[in-house]
C-alpha cells in the first residue's frame, strides 16, 4: 500500500514539474521569436547554452566535472544533445517560412510519437486512457491552430523532423534519468550546443545591442530552469504520462501572446485549448485515482 502511494505521489510530482517546465519553454519560444528577427538562431542558442551551462555547474556545486568523468552514459548523453540541437535548428528554421499555426500543428505530433515509443522501447504500460488523452490533445491542437492553406514542402519536412528528434530525445531522457544526474544532462547537452553553434558564429555573428543581450541572458535562465524541471519530471513519471502534458505548452503560448501582444484568441482557439486542458486534467485525475495494485505494477515496470 505504501509502495502504491509512493508511486502515485512520484507520478503527480513528475506531472507538476514537467508542466512547469513546458510553461517556461513556451516563454522561451516567445523570447526567441523576438530575437530571431535580428539575430541568427545559432547565435541565440550559443548565448542561451553558455548561461545554462553556468547555471548547471552552479547547481552541481563543484561536482559537475567529477560526475561527468564517472558517467557511464556519455554516448547516450551526446546522442541526445545532437537530437535536441537538430530539433531546435529545424523548428526555428521552419518558423521563418511557415505560419505559426501550421508549424505548431506539425510539431505537436511529438507527444504521440513519444507515447508510441514509450510502449515499444521503454516497455511502459500505455493504457486506453493515456492513448485517448494523447489523441484528444492532438485534436485540440488541430482545432486551436486551425491550419489552412497549402504547406510548403521543405519547411513541413523540417517541422516533422524536429518533432521526431524531440520525441527521440524525450525517450532518451527517460532512459538516462534512471542513472544520470539532471545536471550532467544539462551540462553535456548545452555544452555541445555552445560548441556546435560557436563554430557557426564567424559566419553569422551580429553584435547584440543592450536589449538583445538582456533577452539572451534571460533566455538562458528561463531555458536552464525549464530544463531542470522537465528532466526532473521525467525522473519521477513515465514518459507516456508526461508526454501529453506537453500540450499545455500551447495554452501557455496563447496566454503569453495575449499578455505581451494583446492577442485575443478566436473561438476555435478557446475550444482547442479547452480540449487540451480537459484531457490533461483527465490524465492527472486518472493517475491520482489509480488502484493500488496497478500503481505497484507500473512502478515495477519503470
Amino acid at each position: 500500500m505504501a509502495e502504491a502511494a509512493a508511486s502515485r505521489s512520484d507520478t503527480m510530482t513528475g506531472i507538476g514539474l514537467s508542466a512547469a517546465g513546458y510553461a517556461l519553454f513556451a516563454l522561451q519560444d516567445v523570447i526567441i521569436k523576438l530575437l530571431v528577427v535580428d539575430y541568427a538562431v545559432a547565435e541565440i542558442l550559443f548565448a542561451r547554452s553558455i548561461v545554462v551551462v553556468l547555471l548547471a555547474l552552479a547547481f552541481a556545486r563543484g561536482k559537475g566535472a567529477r560526475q561527468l568523468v564517472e558517467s557511464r552514459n556519455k554516448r547516450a548523453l551526446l546522442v541526445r544533445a545532437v537530437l535536441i540541437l537538430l530539433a531546435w535548428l529545424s523548428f526555428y528554421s521552419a518558423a521563418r517560412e511557415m505560419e505559426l499555426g501550421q508549424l505548431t500543428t506539425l510539431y505537436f505530433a511529438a507527444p504521440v510519437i513519444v507515447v508510441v515509443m514509450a510502449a515499444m522501447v521503454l516497455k511502459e504500460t500505455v493504457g486506453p486512457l493515456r492513448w485517448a488523452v494523447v489523441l484528444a490533445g492532438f485534436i485540440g491542437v488541430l482545432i486551436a491552430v486551425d491550419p489552412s492553406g497549402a504547406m510548403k514542402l521543405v519547411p513541413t519536412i523540417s517541422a516533422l523532423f524536429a518533432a521526431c528528434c524531440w520525441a527521440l530525445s524525450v525517450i532518451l531522457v527517460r532512459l538516462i534519468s534512471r542513472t544520470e544526474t539532471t545536471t550532467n544532462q544539462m551540462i553535456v547537452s548545452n555544452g555541445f550546443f555552445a560548441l556546435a553553434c560557436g563554430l557557426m558564429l564567424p559566419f553569422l555573428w551580429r553584435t547584440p545591442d543592450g536589449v538583445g543581450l538582456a533577452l539572451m541572458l534571460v533566455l538562458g535562465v528561463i531555458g536552464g530552469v525549464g530544463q531542470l524541471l522537465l528532466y526532473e519530471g521525467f525522473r519521477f513519471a513515465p514518459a507516456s504520462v508526461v508526454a501529453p502534458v506537453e500540450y499545455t505548452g500551447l495554452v501557455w503560448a496563447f496566454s503569453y501572446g495575449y499578455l505581451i501582444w494583446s492577442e485575443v484568441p478566436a473561438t476555435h482557439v478557446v475550444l482547442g485549448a479547452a480540449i487540451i486542458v480537459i484531457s490533461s486534467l483527465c490524465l492527472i485525475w486518472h493517475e491520482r485515482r489509480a488502484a493500488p495494485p496497478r500503481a505497484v505494477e507500473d512502478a515495477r515496470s519503470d
Side-chain angles (χ1 to χ4, degrees):
M1 194 70 172
E3 184 179 357
S7 176
R8 288 197 298 271
S9 176
D10 286 348
T11 299
M12 294 306 302
T13 299
I15 290 174
L17 290 172
S18 59
Y22 284 126
L24 290 179
F25 283 159
L27 182 57
Q28 171 183 264
D29 290 343
V30 170
I31 297 176
I32 292 181
K33 182 177 175 63
L34 294 172
L35 287 170
V36 78
V37 175
D38 299 311
Y39 304 99
V41 174
E43 180 177 350
I44 298 169
L45 292 180
F46 173 79
R48 173 193 177 281
S49 300
I50 292 296
V51 175
V52 175
V53 168
L54 293 176
L55 288 174
L57 289 173
F59 187 78
R61 298 179 181 178
K63 300 178 182 179
R66 179 174 60 82
Q67 290 174 346
L68 284 175
V69 171
E70 296 175 352
S71 172
R72 294 177 295 176
N73 300 300
K74 297 182 180 68
R75 181 177 299 179
L77 288 168
L78 182 59
V79 169
R80 184 181 174 278
V82 172
L83 287 171
I84 297 180
L85 179 61
L86 290 174
W88 283 353
L89 290 176
S90 299
F91 181 82
Y92 290 116
S93 295
R96 296 179 182 275
E97 300 184 52
M98 293 184 67
E99 295 179 3
L100 184 58
Q102 295 174 332
L103 179 63
T104 305
T105 299
L106 292 173
Y107 183 73
F108 271 90
V112 178
I113 300 173
V114 169
V115 173
V116 173
M117 295 190 66
M120 297 176 60
V121 179
L122 302 180
K123 307 301 181 184
E124 291 182 0
T125 301
V126 183
L129 183 59
R130 290 185 187 176
W131 283 114
V133 168
V134 171
L135 294 177
F138 187 62
I139 291 172
V141 171
L142 290 174
I143 294 174
V145 299
D146 190 26
S148 59
M151 292 186 178
K152 298 180 180 179
L153 180 60
V154 174
T156 297
I157 294 175
S158 181
L160 288 173
F161 180 70
C164 291
C165 288
W166 176 251
L168 288 171
S169 74
V170 167
I171 295 298
L172 276 177
V173 167
R174 182 61 178 166
L175 288 171
I176 294 172
S177 294
R178 293 172 177 174
T179 58
E180 201 67 47
T181 65
T182 295
T183 51
N184 264 13
Q185 297 179 62
M186 294 175 64
I187 292 170
V188 172
S189 58
N190 288 279
F192 177 79
F193 300 160
L195 177 62
C197 293
L199 295 176
M200 307 178 198
L201 290 185
F203 310 98
L204 304 170
W205 176 259
R206 176 180 178 181
T207 303
D209 56 20
V211 175
L213 181 60
L215 285 175
M216 290 182 188
L217 293 177
V218 172
L219 178 66
V221 174
I222 291 175
V225 176
Q227 283 185 42
L228 178 64
L229 293 173
L230 184 60
Y231 292 171
E232 287 296 302
F234 277 106
R235 188 185 302 279
F236 284 97
S240 56
V241 173
V242 174
V245 180
E246 185 171 358
Y247 289 128
T248 61
L250 181 63
V251 179
W252 283 110
F254 287 128
S255 300
Y256 293 144
Y258 175 76
L259 293 173
I260 298 173
W261 292 290
S262 299
E263 297 175 349
V264 179
T267 303
H268 64 85
V269 173
V270 176
L271 176 60
I275 293 175
I276 295 168
V277 171
I278 291 172
S279 62
S280 297
L281 289 176
C282 286
L283 174 68
I284 295 173
W285 176 84
H286 170 70
E287 296 302 327
R288 286 184 64 90
R289 296 287 299 242
R294 176 65 175 278
V296 172
E297 181 182 348
D298 285 350
R300 289 175 181 170
S301 66
D302 290 343

